Every structure is written in C-alpha cells, then in structure tokens.
Amino acid sequence: MKKNIIAGNWKMNNSLDDGLKLVSEIATMIKEDPVNEVEIIIVPPFIHLTVLDKLLQDYDQICLGAQNCNEHDSGAYTGEVSTAMLKSSGVDYVIIGHSERRAYFNESDELLATKVNQALSNGLTPIFCCGEPLSVRESNGQEDFVFTQLTNGLFHLSEESFGKVVIAYEPIWAIGTGVTASAAQAQEMHKAIRNHLASKYGQKAAKNCRILYGGSCKPSNAKELFALDDVDGGLIGGASLNPADFVDIIRSF
Ligand code: PGA
C-alpha cells in the first residue's frame, strides 16, 4: 500500500534556532498522537539538515528532505551540494524542479533530468515538481505543459527507477498566493498526470506513483484536497512554517 506524504518546504526561511523550535514542536505533537498512515518530511535549508537530523533521531516518524541538489558527483562547483553529501547527512528525499528554481535559477528540463538520475544513484527519493503558470492555465494549455515537463524530466527512467520517484503538481498561480486550485481542478490534473504516466509505464506503475498537490495548501482546504482520488498528499510551503498548521494538515487524511 502506498503511503500518503506531507512534505514541508521551508524555502529560505527560519534561523537555526527557529528551525529547531519548529521541528521540536512538530515532533512532540506527532509523538503524542502518531499519524501512521502518513510519511512526514521536513525540507529545511541545507545548512540546518545535520542538526535537525540529530534532533530527529528520537522521532522515527519524521524524515528529512533537501530543497535542491547538484547534478555532479563532486568537484569544483563552488557553493553546491551533492546528493552523496545529502545522503551522508541523513537526508532521504530531495525536491527537484521546484518552479522557483526553474524560474529564478534557469533550471531546464534537461538539467532536471540529470538531477533526478543523480538523486536516484545516491539513494535519494526525488520529489519531482511540475506545474503551469497562470498564462498557460488561462489558455487551457496546462495538460500539455505539465506532460512536457514530466516527459523531459522523467521518461528516460527505467520502470524500476521511475517506481522510486514522487511527483508534486504545483500550479504556479497557486504557490504562495493564497489561491488554491479548486478540488475539481486538482483532481482533473492529477488524473491527467496519472494517465500520462500510465502511457509510458503502465497502469500499475502509474497507480503506485505518489502525486502530491502543492500551492496554498492549508488546514482549511487540506481535507478536501486529500480526499481526492488521485491526490496522495501535499507539498506545503507557507503553512509548514507554523507547527499547529502543519500538524493540522498532516492530520487531514
Ligand atoms: P505554498 O508553497 O504552500 O506557500 O503555496 C508551496 C510550494 O512552493 O511548495
């Protein structure tokens, strides 16, 4: 049985002290009343990972993800972090292709495909992000847009490797805007994504793939989104910075 996932992407927020406080509060709430049907992932900035890994030793329900990785093994890439470093720091997941990285750091589909390979070869689970901008949604081109991202970023993988990938559908117009995709819009896109995956990897692999929704997900809309047939959890930005909101979302299945 595939497990739902809630991942909290802090982006470039929280000092170390703030981060430690936030994770301690979340971990305490989860330990007091465990949520067994959900995989919980905290995705802080790189620099907090090792300290948070130590803190989380006592809380096996919560694991760590990174917000990005480099596509090379090692070498002269000043300022970059490799997937082997992440793995050795207690990280299990890595977000690849977040729309902010595509937009502000010019990350192309081709680059993201190499990052996916790099993550998989070092035992990290990629959380591969896709999603259309508002202009594309307004002209009803969202399916083609997202299918191209998926085809270019993932369809070089073998079926076995594809089976290790998590997908996050995040319409860009919903990220950090307070505007969430309606339940109908989310289900329609998640179903279309699953069908696209099935066209390459077959029905079974597509059914087993976890497809998360991201974009202004919060306690007030999480239940409705997670009840949808093809939504297997959430990638949470803003609401993951508040411990009570994040735990509320985790308890929304
Ligand atoms: P948001 O961000 O929840 O603040 O909209 C989601 C994301 O960017 O992953």
Side-chain angles (χ1 to χ4, degrees):
M1 250 295 267
K2 65 179 173 184
K3 237 183 180 185
N4 292 311
I5 290 179
I6 296 294
N9 174 14
W10 294 2
K11 309 190 181 184
M12 199 172 72
N13 292 296
N14 282 332
S15 68
L16 181 56
D17 281 350
D18 291 342
L20 280 166
K21 186 164 174 285
L22 175 57
V23 174
S24 303
E25 289 181 23
I26 293 166
T28 305
M29 286 189 261
I30 295 297
K31 196 165 192 173
E32 277 167 5
D33 187 5
V35 193
N36 295 318
E37 65 279 12
V38 184
E39 227 163 296
I40 303 165
I41 310 168
I42 304 275
V43 192
F46 287 137
I47 194 163
H48 301 341
L49 285 165
T50 46
V51 180
L52 293 181
D53 181 49
K54 285 209 177 65
L55 173 75
L56 289 172
Q57 299 291 322
D58 295 336
Y59 301 93
D60 54 7
Q61 247 224 290
I62 304 177
C63 52
L64 283 175
Q67 297 177 16
N68 179 33
C69 63
N70 186 268
E71 68 277 19
H72 299 286
D73 286 335
S74 63
Y77 301 103
T78 301
E80 289 294 281
V81 174
S82 74
T83 53
M85 291 170 193
L86 294 172
K87 191 69 192 171
S88 69
S89 302
V91 172
D92 291 315
Y93 292 83
V94 57
I95 295 176
I96 293 179
H98 191 282
S99 61
E100 287 150 18
R101 294 215 57 92
R102 291 177 188 261
Y104 306 144
F105 302 95
N106 295 320
E107 295 197 353
S108 65
D109 285 350
E110 292 67 32
L111 172 70
L112 298 174
T114 63
K115 290 191 179 200
V116 168
N117 295 343
Q118 195 64 22
L120 290 169
S121 68
N122 277 298
L124 297 176
T125 299
I127 301 176
F128 185 84
C129 298
C130 56
E132 79 287 355
L134 185 59
S135 56
V136 169
R137 168 66 63 167
E138 282 172 345
S139 59
N140 205 26
Q142 62 273 11
E143 291 192 3
D144 284 346
F145 188 92
V146 167
F147 292 173
T148 301
Q149 290 179 322
L150 294 168
T151 301
N152 293 346
L154 297 177
F155 280 14
H156 62 286
L157 295 174
S158 67
E159 191 179 332
E160 190 192 344
S161 294
F162 171 75
K164 296 174 182 152
V165 173
V166 172
I167 290 171
Y169 169 62
E170 301 201 299
I172 298 171
W173 45 271
I175 296 179
T177 57
V179 180
T180 321
S182 68
Q185 286 171 322
Q187 172 55 25
E188 190 179 43
M189 271 309 280
H190 280 237
K191 189 167 184 210
I193 289 170
R194 214 179 286 288
N195 287 340
H196 186 60
L197 301 176
S199 72
K200 169 75 180 169
Y201 294 106
Q203 291 292 344
K204 187 161 175 244
K207 190 160 178 267
N208 288 338
C209 180
R210 283 158 318 162
I211 308 176
L212 315 183
Y213 170 80
S216 297
C217 186
K218 41 190 182 264
S220 58
N221 58 29
K223 262 203 174 66
E224 188 185 16
L225 288 164
F226 301 159
L228 299 169
D229 280 353
D230 287 294
V231 174
D232 306 304
L235 180 53
I236 318 299
S240 74
L241 301 174
N242 177 300
D245 285 354
F246 190 57
V247 172
D248 256 8
I249 292 172
I250 292 167
R251 297 195 195 286
S252 295
F253 287 95

